[in-house]
Amino acid sequence: MANSNTVALSPTSRHGPLIGFFERAPMIAGGAVALLGAATLAGWALNLSFVTTPRLDGYPMLPLAAVCFVLSGTALAMSVRPNRSGTSEAIHQSMAALVATICVLTLYEYLRGGESSFDLLLFGDRVRRVTVDPPGR
């Protein structure tokens, strides 16, 4: 029986470059998503509107969504590493569970119609200064 903590990779001598790309794609995608979230959080922290709102007529990415990007991207990148330990397995599963919890709590807030402002926990004063209400607000 195969060890559940290892990812089965094809032997490098038996596959073409396309297979190798698709083996690395989750790591690349996870890193890109985590970097996008981190850049957005830095934009909120440094008050750089061109980072948080890339289009002039667009809505800014909410800081809680950026946190979810960082957590989910990091969890994806950690989950496809060839040699994972039990600790790293628990960490990336906890990150994924935290993202799911944030999503469920936000959905509950929107469905309830309440104004608990769960999604404004980070940089709430700056988010409130946005002239247009973001979707769902």
Side-chain angles (χ1 to χ4, degrees), residues 44-105:
W44 280 108
L46 301 173
N47 205 18
L48 302 172
S49 62
F50 66 90
V51 175
T52 60
T53 312
R55 290 182 38 197
L56 293 177
D57 59 343
Y59 295 108
M61 178 187 273
L62 293 176
L64 199 56
V67 168
C68 287
F69 268 50
V70 170
L71 290 172
S72 62
T74 305
L76 177 61
M78 286 179 71
S79 71
V80 295
R81 288 183 27 210
N83 296 317
R84 298 185 309 261
S85 67
T87 303
S88 68
E89 188 86 16
I91 290 171
H92 89 262
Q93 288 178 0
S94 298
M95 288 180 181
L98 183 58
V99 170
T101 302
I102 291 170
C103 292
V104 167
L105 289 174

Side-chain angles (χ1 to χ4, degrees), residues 119-134:
D119 57 345
L120 300 176
L121 287 175
L122 298 172
F123 308 107
D125 54 337
R126 291 183 187 166
V127 174
R128 284 186 189 96
R129 280 188 249 148
V130 175
T131 58
V132 182
D133 285 337

